[in-house]
Amino acid sequence: MAQHFSLAACDVVGFDLDHTLCRYNLPESAVLIYNSFAQFLVKEKGYDKELLTVTPEDWDFCCKGLALDLEDGNFIKLADNGTVLRASHGTKMMAPEALAEEYGRKEWKHFMSDAGMACRSGKYYFYDNYFDLPGALLCARVVDSLTKQNNGQKTFDFWKDIVAGIQHNYKMSAFKENCGIYFPEIKRDPGRYLHTCPESVKKWLQQLKNAGKILLLITSSHSDYCRLLCEYILGNDFTDLFDIVITNALKPGFFSHLPSQRPFWTLENDEEQEALPSLDKPGWYSQGNAVHLYELLKKMTGKNDPKVVYFGDSMHSDIFPARHYSNWETVLILEELRGDRDRKPEESEPLEKKGKYEGSKAKPLNTLSKKWGSFFIDSVSGLENTEDSLVYTWSCKRISTYSTIAIPSIEAIAELPLDYKFSRFSSSNSKTAGYYPNPPLILSNNETLTSK
């Protein structure tokens, strides 16, 4: 494979919406998401009212790449070889001795070494994106509460209530019915939660279009929410930019399911109307599958093998399935690259200088967690008389395995020429090659790190 990647060589440029084209104000959106679940658990399911109160320190628990073992209420952080680097029971971190006793130095019981393991199963849940992370904090606090109530019980059965909370707040009709907490609040004050696209990004999208690229939007958000987001971040004429818009895409199933399992649906007034046997023309659709989409792209480009690149923020829903099932080029939006270097002075202001209501704000979710350490590498506690050794995390390994490149935001590349040659991740390049504009500081400082 070529060492470089260029947008100029692509026929089709596809985008996820949430946390990709549409960037959120993370400290605000995190609190809103947390509250949408916590209120439901307390009011509808009788959970402890303490869940409703969150301190600024609590947010440090949030870290991408954690897995929750649904049976025992333990959160874990994995090394690239499947061993457990850190763990907590609820929010309480395990001491090294307890960690060694519980997990030893062997693969975690649910780990599969091909890195294609499911991120969702009946036994565990991986926290992979910024919509998920507030739920990690909530679930950890639920485990704390249940452990306390039930004298240190070892098995837990709260996940069904979390799923019910998702259904209540985010079901297909929730936006239209103004139900739950999340959608009514976003509608009421979008500017509090969303960042508009900078002019540089709007011009860049138009530049791609002018260069003859086909532009796709593929989002798991429903049609009505997608419209609100796009009008806010891009303007009312956003539909002129995209040849094909696919909402309610139910990723990763969009990439992994057969066409017969997941047909495209027509839409009228944001409601699904009829299932389509194939996809014949550009437009706005719901659900669908990558196979029928690719057939249409062949027709539209006049090529047997059009080259597609897809931008997304979720390894589970966007990057892994687009690469693994469709063999598309993939650009991972990794805001941890921004949090790594962009600590703005106002973020470190003392609390007493902040406004009265800012105290319980979440820390930006893309910044380093003191509890969990780096998203990219971590140390394995040394045995007696040996030094700690650094290893890549499982999350970091997946980035270099399935992403073509990783960037902190679309804005970071919007002013580059379309034929700019990015160094891609590949087994022949260094582990840091695919990060643009810079690798994470912690990786730059440990370039010689070897995989275990």
Side-chain angles (χ1 to χ4, degrees), residues 215-219 223 226-227 230 238-239 241-247 264-265 267 282-286:
L215 265 57
L216 311 173
L217 189 59
I218 308 174
T219 174
S223 180
C226 169
R227 196 179 299 280
C230 288
F238 77 91
T239 48
L241 286 169
F242 299 102
D243 298 276
I244 301 168
V245 176
I246 300 163
T247 57
F264 281 95
W265 287 73
L267 283 161
W284 188 306
Y285 300 96
S286 187

Side-chain angles (χ1 to χ4, degrees), residues 319-330 401-404:
I319 303 302
F320 170 72
R323 169 61 57 85
H324 183 73
Y325 297 106
S326 298
N327 201 28
W328 291 357
E329 300 277 15
T330 52
T401 306
Y402 296 109
S403 316
T404 303

Side-chain angles (χ1 to χ4, degrees), residues 179-382:
C179 103
I181 286 173
Y182 183 82
F183 290 125
E185 180 58 21
I186 296 271
K187 281 193 224 179
R188 188 186 69 76
D189 192 3
R192 181 174 177 179
Y193 302 102
L194 310 172
H195 293 299
T196 55
C197 277
E199 279 307 311
S200 61
V201 171
K202 293 180 192 176
K203 283 181 184 160
W204 178 77
L205 290 169
Q206 194 58 56
Q207 192 186 356
L208 288 167
K209 193 116 178 101
N210 295 345
K213 312 296 179 195
I214 291 170
L215 265 57
L216 311 173
L217 189 59
I218 308 174
T219 174
S220 291
S221 286
H222 298 305
S223 180
D224 41 17
Y225 185 52
C226 169
R227 196 179 299 280
L228 176 138
L229 295 184
C230 288
E231 285 178 357
Y232 184 80
I233 66 167
L234 290 168
N236 292 343
D237 57 352
F238 77 91
T239 48
D240 297 344
L241 286 169
F242 299 102
D243 298 276
I244 301 168
V245 176
I246 300 163
T247 57
N248 194 26
L250 303 167
K251 296 175 291 181
F254 179 84
F255 296 102
S256 61
H257 281 56
L258 297 169
S260 57
Q261 297 170 292
R262 195 62 71 73
F264 281 95
W265 287 73
T266 59
L267 283 161
E268 200 173 301
N269 299 324
D270 297 317
E271 300 275 350
E272 292 180 352
Q273 299 297 312
E274 60 174 316
L276 299 171
S278 63
L279 197 60
D280 297 323
K281 60 180 190 286
W284 188 306
Y285 300 96
S286 187
Q287 297 195 46
N289 62 85
V291 173
H292 280 167
L293 172 62
Y294 198 66
E295 290 302 317
L296 175 60
L297 295 175
K298 287 183 191 176
K299 267 199 267 186
M300 289 174 71
T301 58
K303 294 183 176 180
N304 286 330
D305 191 18
K307 188 169 182 181
V308 185
V309 59
Y310 187 62
F311 288 71
D313 69 295
S314 167
M315 182 57 68
H316 167 68
S317 300
D318 301 316
I319 303 302
F320 170 72
R323 169 61 57 85
H324 183 73
Y325 297 106
S326 298
N327 201 28
W328 291 357
E329 300 277 15
T330 52
V331 178
L332 175 65
I333 304 294
L334 189 64
E335 289 203 39
E336 280 67 18
L337 295 175
R338 176 190 295 275
D340 193 45
R341 293 168 186 267
D342 274 13
R343 291 291 291 174
K344 297 187 180 71
E346 69 267 19
E347 284 174 15
S348 54
E349 269 187 25
L351 277 180
E352 61 270 17
K353 281 195 178 177
K354 297 192 172 185
K356 185 178 172 187
Y357 296 105
E358 289 185 52
S360 63
K361 257 194 196 174
K363 72 169 181 111
L365 298 184
N366 56 12
T367 53
L368 185 72
S369 159
K370 293 189 188 82
K371 278 193 167 175
W372 292 104
S374 168
F375 174 71
F376 301 97
I377 61 176
D378 210 340
S379 56
V380 176
S381 295

Side-chain angles (χ1 to χ4, degrees), residues 63-66 77-78 127-128 315 332 334 336-337 366-369 372-378 391-397 399 435 440 442-443:
C63 175
K64 261 196 214 167
L66 302 182
K77 178 184 183 184
L78 290 172
Y127 289 91
D128 161 76
M315 182 57 68
L332 175 65
L334 189 64
E336 280 67 18
L337 295 175
N366 56 12
T367 53
L368 185 72
S369 159
W372 292 104
S374 168
F375 174 71
F376 301 97
I377 61 176
D378 210 340
V391 295
Y392 291 106
T393 62
W394 183 67
S395 299
C396 186
K397 182 182 181 182
I399 291 169
Y435 294 104
I442 197 161
L443 288 189

Side-chain angles (χ1 to χ4, degrees), residues 6-17:
S6 163
L7 285 166
C10 299
D11 305 296
V12 182
V13 185
F15 300 93
D16 173 42
L17 179 57

